[in-house]
Amino acid sequence: QKEVEQDPGPLSVPEGAIVSLNCTYSNSAFQYFMWYRQYSRKGPELLMYTYSSGNKEDGRFTAQVDKSSKYISLFIRDSQPSDSATYLCATLDSNYQLIWGAGTKLIIKP
Amino acid sequence: ETGVTQTPRHLVMGMTNKKSLKCEQHLGHNAMYWYKQSAKKPLELMFVYNFKEQTENNSVPSRFSPECPNSSHLFLHLHTLQPEDSALYLCASSTRTGAFGGYTFGSGTRLTVV
């Protein structure tokens, strides 16, 4: 079993829709969770990070962690074509090394 | 530019060639990383350097040889690669190892082995 599971997609939605991107993880000891965004022909860039459970909001983006179900989510409101990218979830192991999901390719259709 | 510069952006090499990838960061970071990114797979950590010292080698084949002459520069020397080594190779840096959330990535080198 992979430590972090993420559906690679692609996920295609119309402009203005609410997008939900999700990951599951296997180790209940994981505490820090991150979302990176990777545009085509670019490296990943940190979008948001959260600690433990709960929500964190930044503009149109909301990161959510449900530790009881080992599920992390990223919601994008009022999605724009410029949000089209690959979104990678990640967490930190006990050695503070990043463990990555495979990334979900998101396509926002105008 | 993100502050981490990788060259070349694209590289095509034969299995008998020797080539090098270069990474440079101007962020004052002390930790640098090499990652391999293949389609629909998680990022694979290859090497970690902290204050120029290699602190991690994730069972990477010897045909990949890293070099870190100082905290700002990182190289990945390649020789006798295999077609399955074709991938995007990403360099990243952080203030120190274990600095969660603080990784800055370069744009990567797209490597094709023929």
Side-chain angles (χ1 to χ4, degrees), chain B residues 64-81:
Chain B
F64 295 91
S65 174
E67 178 190 0
C68 187
N70 54 60
S71 291
S72 298
H73 294 86
L74 187 63
F75 295 89
L76 188 62
H77 304 299
L78 316 171
H79 64 96
T80 59
L81 294 191

Side-chain angles (χ1 to χ4, degrees), chain B residues 21-64:
Chain B
L21 310 184
K22 179 182 176 181
C23 176
E24 186 173 0
Q25 57 96 0
H26 308 281
L27 302 168
H29 289 168
N30 296 307
M32 297 187 78
Y33 312 80
W34 280 117
Y35 278 92
K36 176 183 179 182
Q37 186 175 34
S38 303
K40 300 194 176 185
K41 291 185 178 180
L43 288 174
E44 297 176 46
L45 179 63
M46 300 175 72
F47 301 104
V48 180
Y49 278 83
N50 197 32
F51 291 95
K52 302 189 301 177
E53 299 298 320
Q54 184 175 311
T55 58
E56 190 147 346
N57 175 341
N58 271 0
S59 302
V60 179
S62 60
R63 56 186 185 269
F64 295 91

Side-chain angles (χ1 to χ4, degrees), chain A residues 38 41 43-44 46 49 92 97, chain B residues 9 37 42 56 98 100-101 105-106:
Chain A
Q38 184 175 18
R41 294 185 291 277
L46 180 67
Y49 65 87
L92 280 178
Q97 292 294 350
Chain B
R9 292 296 305 273
Q37 186 175 34
E56 190 147 346
F100 101 92
F105 284 84

